[in-house]
Amino acid sequence: MIPMFAMGASDHDDHGHDDHGHGDHGDGHGGHGDHGHGEHGGGSSWWMYLLGFLVLAPTLMCLFNGVVGSSGVSYNPATGEYSSPILMAIILAPAIGAVINGTIGQKLPRPIVNLVGCAAIGLAFLFSISAVGSLMGLEAPAAEGHMAHQPIVYNAFKWIWVGNFQIPAKFVLDPLSAVMILIITGIGTLIHIYSAGYMSHDPAYARFFTYLNLFCFAMLILVLGGNMLLTFVGWEGVGLCSYLLIGFWYTDDAKASAGKKAFVVNRVGDFAFIIGMFLIFTAAESLDYQAITQLATTPETAGPLMGIATAATIFIFIGCTGKSAQIPLFVWLPDAMAGPTPVSALIHAATMVTAGVYLIARMNALFILAPTTMWIVVVVGGVTALMAATIAVVQNDIKKVLAYSTVSQLGYMFMAVGSGALTAGVFHLMTHAFFKALLFLGAGAVIHGLHDEQDIRKMGGLRKSMPIIHWTFLVGCIAIAGVPGFAGFFSKDEILWNVFAQVHAGAPMPGLHVVMWIVGVLTAGLTAFYMFRLYFLTFHGESRVAAGVTPHDAPAAMAMPLIILAALSAVGGYLGVPHILGGLVHWIPGIGEAMSHHILHTWLEQVFTPSANALSIRFEHDQEVVMEWVTMGVSVVVALGAIAASWMLYARPSDVPKTVAERASLPYKILSNKYYVDELYALLFVKPTLLIGRFFHKVVDEVLIDLLLVNGAAWVMESMGAIGKRLQDGNVQRYAGYVVLGLGAIIFLLLIK
Amino acid sequence: MASETIFFLILAFSIVVSSLLVVTLRNPIHSALSLVSTMLMMAGVYALLNAPFLAVIQVMVYAGAIMVLFLFVIMLLNLGDDELGERRFTLSKFITAGGAIFLFGAVAFGITTLGSGEPGSPQTAYPGLSRLVAVPGADEVACSEARAGVEGDHCEEVWVGGQEGRAAGTYDAASKTWRPAPELARSVALWERFGTVEWVGRSIFGKWVFLFEVTGVLLLAAVIGAVVIAKRRL
Amino acid sequence: MEGSVPLEWYLILSAAIFAIGGVGVLLRRNAIILFMCIELMLNAVNLTFLAFSRYRTGALGALDLDGHVMSFFVIALAAAEAAVGLAIILSIFRHRRHINVDDGNLLKN
């Protein structure tokens, strides 16, 4: 497929492109095709092997090709931009999969549907690797220790072209969107493969894969879109797919309602997003990210943006709270667990819910102009993180725990981006995508293996019957808990350190950041506690599995993604090794040198504005190094302590949890009822809405519209008809007479004019 | 008073009277006969208008064929006196008749007042009759096949883009006015050819040949339609 | 050869015939007379065409026979109309034994 796109590029632009390095790799498949998948448990059906072949062989090929070759990238000297149709290929691959499965999927046999669904996103992954490889190759001169890459821009077509409101369908691959598309397509591929196993008993598998592919399509538009409106298209698209997938089993009323709830709550945020766009357009006269960043970072032109920055960013942040489940719009995410578990993993943990973080990172130049918004983001993120973590402690549904955990972790990311530590936010976004997808998939595998049992009180002791799930889940728990060496440790620690270091970086309210740091540490402890509570209750202790259910381990299709994700959760953090720990990994042969720096930070800082980077932390002073050691130590101690506590409470038979619940019945009740937020919203919004609705139904609709307007109009027409029907008596001559009269009137009017 | 005027007045008066008879006579046969006389006198007016071909057609087709058809049908139906119905005058009929008369008055008024608008008078702003008979604007003027009627005569090659054809005369580009050569306008050759079979035929089979063919189709359809409708049983 | 009769006179005559025909169409109930009135109106139109054709030719100094052609077509059309119309009258008469138009309310219901 790579040579094909190279040809497309030469059609597209015939000067300045270099198409060396591809075109002769087409026969490179065979060599790598037949290893790499069989070891994850045999017994899979034939299509698994085919898929493994299809994915792995070209992966290596594309890796090579992407790094060495150029994946059809061409240079346009007129605009000074690099362009490649491969961006379209990335986006369209899942769309094509969705179209195929959505139209003829029901008629196709199940393996074909699985294959189409997985291949669509798998291809997108390959293209992404190739494109990101090309992006790495487009290095521009930069200062020592920094990187600069030319973004790859693809203008697909003119979308909206009205006066000075010109919106092209423009896709941009820069370091930030590169990270995002690798997460989306990479984890997306794993989850698609997993879904093939998970949905193996569901008759509506074609619909499922259609939605899943459609989701990936929308999500890719969201992150690759070069302007806010295009992002909004993806934003709405993922919202739609989220709705469709939460209510996937729509015959269940509760699940359909959960879908509706997610949709409606998201609308609130989307509304704010739109207003934010309006504001930005009035000031910047453009919705293009590059243009906005350009305007905002140039002191001479930032004036109009300054005026609206606070308002616009607050509105955009409200949009983010809707999509990323923050206070006050987080209520939909726990309910969203009604969808199939792979959906929870892909949409409601790894990708869609992080769109808000992505958006703020994308628009960092504007957010930097609005310090007020920044501390609002920090506070909202911190409060959400703590609140969701406390709720998670008392949940008994395995997916609900993970859902609240997700809300909490998203709060973490907002704390990071709100502190100006954009790299840390995106870093945590990435590691969280690894381990939370892993945890959800593990939970899904448990649910699958127990025949749709989700209550952890009816689990226990599963580590023997589900060894693969057990070990991978444990890795996920360790990662999220922040045990040193695993992915979560690096990203979470970076966030905590950045929040704390704001005090030194001259933040307007130092006290606030100290409080937020304490909140963060507390949340980290709670996270470790509830995750290991979940782990111990599920996999240790006595088996409380209902009689008649034989737990079984994950089948191959589900085990393979679990293992890969577990590996990523374990090592993913080494992309962002903090400076002070750099020496610790230095010894690793080959890559140790590179890893001793914060790779992700170097990669991402070029997209973030210099002012944003000014807020992120420098490591020059010894004092700060000491501080960093201290904060890191505190968070590690808290995490380990929390793990120990949950081991004491839940790994062995213990009366303490029950006693605590009884002693502190009021807090317990509040927590298990999720702070009564749903009830509060019902009282504040739903009831009044229903009342208004009833008013409109009874008074406006039945009286005003039905009686007065509809029947009234009919009555008026009828009365007029009674007069008119005397005129219309069927006598042709009289009709002709009317014509003559009218003609006479016209002529008369012309004459007297 | 010129002979044309005398003939015109006599014919006009007779036509109005006989057409009034067409409308007012109760018996269809009487009406039809009045119509025949109207048609014949109309043919006379056509002749006054230098339209010999149309005058002949009028006599042959209208007064001949069509009126025979009418009379034939009237005879065929052979309506009795009671079947002719009573004369009923209703209010609405008066109103419609009044409307029609009003219409005539308005048109006549318009023709007499607006039509002869002098240049510069307020009426000229109104596109009245004078415009219709007047020389077309410079945009329309050009030499055309109509010029064939005045062979050898002077024709400025004024081709301003209209499809009206060419005309003999001179075109003053400065004032953008077209002056027909006066000797041509009154030339014997022009009026010898005007309205004759040959030159009407040239126009029909030249410029209007497509319309002519369409009319042929129309007549065919009418023939078939008439047969189909009038037949007792299909 | 420009006439001594002004164009307006022809037009007024035409309007008069047209109006008389129109009154007939509006007032007479006998379908055949109705048709005859329509023929009157068509003739009025023909008269207008011919008059304009002549006066225009005079003004142009070039032949303009379009009006004649139109009159020719109107006559052809009148023939067709008479044939079909009278056929319709015949079949209506067969059906209803009279040809009064104001008894009919065919357009109603």
Side-chain angles (χ1 to χ4, degrees):
Chain A
M1 65 289 301
I2 299 306
M4 190 181 83
F5 279 102
M7 283 165 67
S10 50
D11 288 342
H12 183 70
D13 186 354
D14 44 15
H15 30 246
H17 75 283
D18 51 341
D19 53 353
H20 59 80
H22 44 247
D24 46 6
H25 305 298
D27 53 354
H29 294 250
H32 318 289
D34 44 16
H35 54 78
H37 45 73
E39 64 264 33
H40 306 314
S44 53
S45 46
W46 59 271
W47 63 265
M48 276 292 299
Y49 292 95
L50 187 56
L51 194 67
F53 176 82
L54 281 174
V55 171
L56 284 174
T59 305
L60 296 173
M61 189 189 84
C62 288
L63 269 174
F64 173 72
N65 196 43
V67 175
V68 177
S70 61
S71 65
V73 173
S74 59
Y75 179 67
N76 184 351
T79 56
E81 284 173 342
Y82 289 91
S83 173
S84 172
I86 199 164
L87 297 187
M88 284 315 287
I90 294 169
I91 292 171
L92 287 180
I96 291 167
V99 168
I100 293 174
N101 274 339
T103 48
I104 57 172
Q106 290 292 347
K107 302 243 169 17
L108 295 173
R110 190 183 288 265
I112 302 288
V113 172
N114 292 339
L115 192 64
V116 168
C118 296
I121 184 71
L123 272 177
F125 182 46
L126 301 185
F127 291 143
S128 303
I129 291 172
S130 179
V132 174
S134 306
L135 181 68
M136 287 170 156
L138 298 177
E139 205 158 346
E144 179 67 33
H146 297 278
M147 277 187 186
H149 289 95
Q150 292 279 348
I152 299 176
V153 178
Y154 188 73
N155 279 299
F157 51 89
K158 290 179 177 179
W159 178 29
I160 299 173
W161 227 254
V162 186
N164 70 338
F165 185 71
Q166 298 181 338
I167 307 291
K170 171 186 171 188
F171 300 100
V172 179
L173 183 73
D174 66 355
L176 178 59
S177 49
V179 172
M180 291 304 288
I181 62 169
L182 287 180
I183 294 173
I184 294 161
T185 57
I187 294 181
T189 307
L190 293 175
I191 291 175
H192 274 69
I193 295 170
Y194 175 92
S195 303
Y198 190 82
M199 300 301 283
S200 58
H201 306 304
D202 199 288
Y205 54 96
R207 186 161 59 89
F208 182 77
F209 276 104
T210 304
Y211 292 165
L212 223 50
N213 275 339
L214 198 62
F215 168 79
C216 294
F217 169 62
M219 192 70 205
L220 287 166
I221 290 181
L222 195 162
V223 296
L224 285 174
N227 51 57
M228 292 186 76
L229 205 60
L230 216 52
T231 295
F232 189 69
V233 170
W235 191 273
E236 291 299 311
V238 291
L240 168 71
C241 294
S242 166
Y243 160 76
L244 291 171
L245 284 164
I246 293 168
F248 183 72
W249 291 303
Y250 52 84
T251 46
D252 183 337
D253 198 44
K255 288 171 176 168
S257 304
K260 265 185 284 184
K261 185 175 178 182
F263 204 67
V264 170
V265 173
N266 264 299
R267 286 288 79 68
V268 179
D270 296 345
F271 184 63
F273 188 163
I274 293 174
I275 293 175
M277 273 201 286
F278 292 163
L279 283 172
I280 289 172
F281 187 79
T282 53
E285 297 204 330
S286 171
L287 293 177
D288 191 285
Y289 290 128
Q290 286 168 320
I292 293 170
T293 304
Q294 185 70 37
L295 282 177
T297 50
T298 315
E300 293 81 41
T301 54
L305 275 175
M306 290 283 233
I308 53 100
T310 305
T313 49
I314 284 176
F315 277 118
I316 288 173
F317 178 60
I318 294 172
C320 297
T321 61
K323 195 59 79 192
S324 296
Q326 298 295 294
I327 290 173
L329 299 176
F330 71 98
V331 288
W332 65 272
L333 187 58
D335 286 17
M337 297 302 128
T341 309
V343 171
S344 311
L346 178 62
I347 301 183
H348 305 124
T351 54
M352 182 187 87
V353 289
T354 62
V357 181
Y358 166 79
L359 190 68
I360 293 181
R362 173 58 77 202
M363 306 205 66
N364 61 80
L366 196 63
F367 275 79
I368 293 300
L369 295 180
T372 317
T373 316
M374 291 297 262
W375 72 254
I376 290 176
V377 173
V378 176
V379 171
V380 169
V383 173
T384 310
L386 184 62
M387 179 181 173
T390 52
I391 297 175
V393 172
V394 299
Q395 293 298 309
N396 285 321
D397 183 319
I398 186 168
K399 288 182 72 179
K400 282 277 165 67
V401 176
L402 293 174
Y404 280 105
S405 166
T406 306
V407 174
S408 168
Q409 297 299 310
L410 288 166
Y412 250 96
M413 296 176 209
F414 278 104
M415 275 168 79
V417 291
S419 307
L422 300 162
T423 310
V426 177
F427 185 27
H428 196 58
L429 187 163
M430 186 187 80
T431 56
H432 175 256
F434 294 153
F435 56 66
K436 191 50 70 62
L438 167 65
L439 290 169
F440 264 115
L441 294 186
V446 170
I447 295 166
H448 189 74
L450 290 177
H451 301 289
D452 299 331
E453 182 55 62
Q454 300 198 3
D455 194 335
I456 48 177
R457 286 167 299 194
K458 294 180 182 165
M459 296 176 186
L462 294 174
R463 70 179 186 278
K464 300 216 173 57
S465 50
M466 302 178 170
I468 295 176
I469 302 173
H470 166 240
W471 285 113
T472 51
F473 202 88
L474 180 60
V475 172
C477 287
I478 294 173
I480 193 175
V483 173
F486 288 80
F489 163 74
F490 293 104
S491 55
K492 198 180 280 188
D493 184 66
E494 193 179 331
I495 291 175
L496 287 175
W497 164 237
N498 272 293
V499 172
F500 186 76
Q502 290 300 308
V503 184
H504 283 264
M509 283 176 283
L512 177 79
H513 283 90
V514 174
V515 171
M516 279 301 133
W517 179 75
I518 295 170
V519 165
V521 174
L522 216 57
T523 308
L526 282 169
T527 307
F529 180 77
Y530 66 70
M531 282 316 299
F532 274 88
R533 168 179 174 265
L534 180 65
Y535 166 73
F536 288 130
L537 284 177
T538 307
F539 294 102
H540 287 260
E542 293 295 310
S543 173
R544 299 179 296 277
V545 175
V549 176
T550 338
H552 63 82
D553 206 355
M558 291 158 73
M560 187 177 87
L562 286 177
I563 291 166
I564 294 175
L565 282 171
L568 286 172
S569 303
V571 303
Y574 291 96
L575 276 176
V577 179
H579 191 76
I580 55 165
L581 293 179
L584 293 182
V585 288
H586 210 282
W587 55 271
I588 301 174
I591 51 172
E593 171 67 33
M595 269 166 39
S596 63
H597 308 294
H598 198 306
I599 300 172
L600 201 68
H601 182 74
T602 322
W603 174 248
L604 284 174
E605 67 169 352
Q606 44 183 317
V607 243
F608 300 141
T609 54
S611 49
N613 281 320
L615 277 177
S616 78
I617 301 315
R618 299 275 162 269
F619 305 102
E620 280 87 19
H621 309 297
D622 291 343
Q623 190 198 4
E624 287 184 354
V625 174
V626 173
M627 296 277 280
E628 195 173 352
W629 277 111
V630 170
T631 54
M632 188 183 288
V634 168
S635 58
V636 169
V637 167
V638 166
L640 292 177
I643 294 171
S646 73
W647 181 72
M648 299 222 290
L649 289 177
Y650 297 106
R652 305 168 301 173
S654 164
D655 287 337
V656 179
K658 210 185 241 175
T659 322
V660 171
E662 281 165 5
R663 287 271 173 80
S665 65
L666 184 67
Y668 182 80
K669 217 173 157 191
I670 291 174
L671 285 184
S672 58
N673 282 301
K674 306 144 196 170
Y675 293 104
Y676 296 99
V677 174
D678 277 327
E679 286 75 6
L680 184 71
Y681 284 2
L683 196 71
L684 282 182
F685 302 112
V686 180
K687 286 254 173 62
T689 310
L690 285 176
L691 273 177
I692 295 171
R694 195 161 295 128
F695 168 77
F696 273 91
H697 172 223
K698 291 287 178 201
V699 178
V700 176
D701 191 49
E702 286 190 352
V703 176
L704 192 68
I705 292 178
D706 279 357
L707 200 72
L708 228 59
L709 291 182
V710 176
N711 290 337
W715 181 82
V716 169
M717 287 301 136
E718 209 180 327
S719 331
M720 283 167 65
I723 301 166
K725 76 182 174 190
R726 290 159 160 273
L727 289 175
Q728 194 182 4
D729 58 358
N731 186 327
V732 189
Q733 283 180 309
R734 206 159 292 143
Y735 292 177
Y738 300 145
V739 172
V740 171
L741 276 179
L743 198 59
I746 290 169
I747 289 181
F748 182 72
L749 281 177
L750 288 175
L751 282 175
I752 62 168
K753 190 176 140 193
Chain B
M1 198 182 279
S3 59
E4 190 193 342
T5 316
I6 297 168
F7 276 117
F8 175 80
L9 288 176
I10 294 170
L11 283 174
F13 180 74
S14 324
I15 286 171
V16 170
V17 170
S18 64
S19 54
L20 277 175
L21 286 176
V22 172
V23 176
T24 51
L25 285 177
R26 189 154 175 263
N27 192 327
I29 293 187
H30 298 165
S31 278
L33 290 174
S34 305
L35 186 60
V36 170
S37 75
T38 312
M39 297 294 178
L40 289 172
M41 287 183 287
M42 284 293 277
V45 177
Y46 290 0
L48 275 184
L49 280 168
N50 297 53
F53 174 57
L54 261 295
V56 171
I57 293 279
Q58 171 86 354
V59 173
M60 282 167 62
V61 178
Y62 254 126
I66 295 178
M67 287 322 299
V68 167
L69 190 60
F70 268 98
L71 286 170
F72 181 72
V73 171
I74 293 166
M75 304 290 190
L76 192 69
L77 298 183
N78 194 21
L79 295 170
D81 199 46
D82 51 334
E83 285 164 321
L84 290 174
E86 282 180 38
R87 285 181 190 278
R88 284 187 294 197
F89 289 104
T90 59
L91 182 65
S92 68
K93 284 194 171 181
F94 273 111
I95 292 172
T96 48
I101 291 161
F102 169 74
L103 189 64
F104 164 71
V107 170
F109 176 75
I111 288 166
T112 48
T113 56
L114 302 179
S116 53
E118 294 298 314
S121 76
Q123 282 100 348
T124 40
Y126 196 87
L129 273 184
S130 49
R131 170 81 189 273
L132 287 174
V133 290
V135 181
D139 288 352
E140 304 165 27
V141 171
C143 290
S144 77
E145 69 266 25
R147 186 186 162 258
V150 282
E151 274 165 33
D153 288 322
H154 176 67
C155 174
E156 291 284 312
E157 288 293 324
V158 185
W159 186 255
V160 203
Q163 66 273 49
E164 270 298 301
R166 304 165 180 197
T170 51
Y171 176 68
D172 181 17
S175 63
K176 285 194 176 177
T177 49
W178 171 257
R179 302 193 185 289
E183 71 279 9
L184 292 180
R186 291 179 177 74
S187 83
V188 180
L190 186 68
W191 293 111
E192 269 181 356
R193 285 162 176 144
F194 182 81
T196 58
V197 181
E198 182 190 351
W199 290 98
V200 175
R202 283 187 189 224
S203 197
I204 291 173
F205 298 113
K207 189 178 176 185
W208 299 104
V209 67
F210 178 72
L211 205 52
F212 177 76
E213 299 295 341
V214 173
T215 312
V217 176
L218 171 76
L219 284 173
L220 179 67
V223 168
I224 296 171
V227 170
V228 167
I229 294 168
K231 232 175 154 186
R232 266 172 208 284
R233 261 192 250 25
L234 280 175
Chain C
M1 283 287 280
E2 272 181 287
S4 52
V5 182
L7 172 64
E8 286 82 356
W9 291 19
Y10 286 105
L11 295 182
I12 289 170
L13 173 63
S14 167
I17 302 170
F18 193 87
I20 291 166
V23 169
V25 169
L26 294 179
L27 296 188
R28 293 307 300 260
R29 298 159 60 225
N30 189 318
I32 293 181
I33 294 179
L34 226 70
F35 264 88
M36 291 197 261
C37 293
I38 292 172
E39 302 294 342
L40 269 181
M41 294 166 85
L42 287 171
N43 258 289
V45 173
N46 275 351
L47 180 59
T48 323
F49 273 131
L50 294 175
F52 273 121
S53 179
R54 189 177 99 156
Y55 282 83
R56 206 172 141 81
T57 298
L60 263 178
L63 276 183
D64 185 350
L65 288 172
D66 289 354
H68 287 238
V69 179
M70 286 306 136
S71 296
F72 176 79
F73 287 139
V74 167
I75 290 172
L77 179 121
E81 173 245 336
V84 175
L86 290 172
I88 292 172
I89 289 173
L90 268 182
S91 67
I92 288 176
F93 181 76
R94 269 196 220 114
H95 189 64
R96 306 201 338 204
R97 305 310 303 172
H98 70 81
I99 50 172
N100 289 345
V101 286
D102 65 349
D103 286 355
N105 47 4
L106 287 175
L107 287 189
K108 213 173 182 181
N109 307 324

